[in-house]
Amino acid sequence: MTSKVGRPVIGEPKVNDIKVRLDDTMHKKLLEYCAKHNTTKAEAVRQGIQLLLYQ
């Protein structure tokens, strides 16, 4: 049996996904945030959830 190809998982595997609907204004602001902070939309959402849970 061969090992898996691809990048190794860092930390806990992210196996759950969610779908969120955004209006055009919020989506544009999210994209601007991601560009400014050099991050992905998914990581920005994770950071937002962390702020909500641990503030």
Side-chain angles (χ1 to χ4, degrees):
M1 185 176 252
T2 62
S3 63
K4 291 184 179 181
V5 176
R7 299 183 72 183
V9 175
I10 298 173
E12 196 172 336
K14 294 165 183 71
V15 295
N16 299 296
D17 64 336
I18 60 171
K19 180 178 177 180
V20 178
R21 296 173 61 104
L22 303 174
D23 60 35
D24 289 339
T25 303
M26 185 165 288
H27 187 248
K28 182 179 176 185
K29 288 180 180 184
L30 176 60
L31 293 175
E32 290 170 355
Y33 175 89
C34 292
K36 181 178 179 181
H37 292 91
N38 194 30
T39 191
T40 64
K41 291 187 286 186
E43 186 57 34
V45 170
R46 284 187 207 103
Q47 291 171 0
I49 292 170
Q50 288 288 331
L51 288 173
L52 289 170
L53 295 175
Y54 302 109
Q55 53 173 298

